[in-house]
């Protein structure tokens, strides 16, 4: 792992942040998209309340080019998969998601249990390994959390002569980040979902995804050389912004790990 981190530069994995939880990156010659959300700003009625999207993605699906794989944290909430995102899945060969999501989404979708891996053929030979890693969409035990907010999954991407890349998904547990670091750390690039979303009716208003200070702590736990923050704009229920992420990383002495180009473009 150390050899990979010193010999491979992070600019070999360009990450284009599109807004909300949605980012596009190329890894091992394959093009990956996280949690597709492309609807215009609008309200969504959801069990127990309403979600409000406040800004459009910085690109439309038809302007992204080829997408080989969607990495979908979960399919049950519109701030991770909206109507336009669902339509996009029909044109993508493979969607990797939760076990339940794999069943709900049908053809082209595959659910990954914790630590389950799939090997994807790289153009020109070799493979990219995508491993599903644990995530919890709120505080508490898995049973307590999933009863209210459902299953979520994160992803770790590895491959011969490739740096390790982690996509957290809607995770609120630093304990799980520690487990991931034991198996895969240090990582080269961490795409961390932040934004500190809270709802008074869920878990007493406690966090259901990392806040900015926790994202900085996660970066340190992972030994991440580069951090791309996502999931911290474009939705009204996110209580912290990208500026809060920058402030938290600066306070933690980790500002140099933030990708300066990782803003919606």
């Amino acid at each position: 792992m150390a050899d990979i981190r010193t010999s491979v530069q992070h600019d070999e994995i360009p990450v284009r942040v599109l807004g909300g939880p949605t980012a596009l990156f190329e890894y091992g010659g394959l093009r990956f998209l996280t949690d597709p959300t492309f609807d215009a700003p609008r309200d969504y009625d959801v069990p127990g309340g309403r979600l409000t999207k406040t800004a459009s993605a910085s690109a439309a699906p038809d302007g992204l080019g080829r997408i080989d794989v969607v990495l979908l944290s979960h399919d049950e909430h519109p701030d991770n998969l909206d109507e336009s995102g669902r339509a996009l899945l029909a044109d993508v060969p493979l969607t990797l998601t939760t076990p339940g999501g794999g069943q709900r989404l049908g053809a082209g979708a595959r659910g990954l249990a914790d630590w389950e891996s799939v090997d994807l053929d790289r153009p020109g030979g070799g493979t990219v390994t995508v491993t599903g890693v644990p995530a919890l969409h709120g505080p508490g035990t898995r049973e307590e959390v999933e009863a209210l907010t459902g299953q979520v999954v994160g992803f770790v991407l590895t491959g011969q002569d490739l740096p390790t890349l982690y996509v957290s998904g809607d995770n609120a547990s630093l304990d799980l980040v520690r487990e991931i670091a034991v198996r895969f750390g240090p990582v080269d690039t961490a795409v961390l979902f932040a934004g500190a979303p809270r709802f008074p009716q869920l878990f007493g208003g406690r966090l259901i995804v990392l806040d900015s200070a926790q994202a900085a702590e996660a970066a340190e736990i992972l030994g991440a050389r580069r951090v791309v923050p996502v999931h911290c704009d474009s939705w009204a229920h996110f209580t912290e912004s990208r500026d809060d992420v920058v402030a938290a990383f600066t306070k933690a002495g980790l500002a140099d790990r933030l990708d300066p180009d990782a803003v919606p473009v």
Side-chain angles (χ1 to χ4, degrees):
M1 191 69 67
D3 289 342
I4 289 175
R5 282 167 53 81
T6 56
S7 65
V8 181
Q9 298 299 312
H10 73 245
D11 60 8
E12 294 180 24
I13 310 175
V15 180
R16 182 183 179 190
V17 178
L18 302 175
T22 309
L24 177 68
F25 62 88
E26 184 170 321
Y27 184 90
L30 299 172
R31 303 183 83 236
F32 293 83
L33 184 71
T34 66
D35 290 22
T37 53
F38 293 100
D39 288 353
R42 53 169 287 192
D43 292 329
Y44 299 84
D45 291 322
V46 297
R50 174 173 292 183
L51 298 181
T52 299
K53 187 173 187 181
T54 59
S56 298
S58 61
D62 59 7
L64 299 180
R66 185 189 86 250
I67 305 296
D68 298 303
V69 183
V70 166
L71 301 176
L72 179 59
S73 170
H74 57 297
D75 67 307
E76 298 179 275
H77 300 151
D79 56 327
N80 296 88
L81 181 67
D82 61 15
E83 294 176 9
S84 299
R86 286 182 185 275
L88 176 145
L89 296 186
D91 298 322
V92 176
L94 178 64
T95 296
L96 297 175
T97 188
T98 64
Q103 295 176 353
R104 284 185 293 270
L105 294 172
R110 173 170 174 172
L112 292 178
D114 292 349
W115 314 118
E116 182 181 0
S117 296
V118 59
D119 290 331
L120 308 177
D121 291 334
R122 295 172 61 176
T127 59
V128 166
T129 299
V130 181
T131 302
V133 295
L136 281 176
H137 202 359
T141 67
R142 182 178 296 275
E143 292 75 15
E144 292 168 337
V145 172
E146 291 185 354
L148 293 175
T149 53
Q151 292 178 330
V152 293
V153 65
F155 305 93
V156 171
L157 282 67
T158 54
Q160 186 175 2
D161 300 322
L162 292 171
T164 302
L165 186 147
Y166 167 58
V167 178
S168 72
D170 272 8
N171 176 53
S173 171
L174 289 175
D175 286 341
L176 292 182
V177 174
R178 293 184 183 95
E179 291 186 25
I180 293 162
V182 167
R183 295 191 184 223
F184 292 101
V187 306
D188 184 82
T189 297
V191 180
L192 296 181
F193 288 38
R198 307 172 187 265
F199 295 93
Q201 68 272 32
L202 287 176
F203 310 109
R206 296 164 67 193
L207 290 167
I208 62 171
V209 181
L210 300 179
D211 66 13
S212 300
Q214 289 173 327
E217 188 173 352
E220 195 156 31
I221 292 167
L222 293 161
R225 186 166 65 83
R226 177 177 65 148
V227 174
V228 180
V230 299
H231 197 273
C232 50
D233 58 67
S234 305
W235 291 86
H237 61 288
F238 296 170
T239 66
E240 293 182 0
S241 68
R242 192 171 301 275
D243 288 342
D244 294 306
V245 174
V246 172
F249 273 70
T250 301
K251 183 177 180 180
L254 302 174
D256 60 334
R257 301 196 195 185
L258 286 174
D259 187 336
D261 298 321
V263 295
V265 293

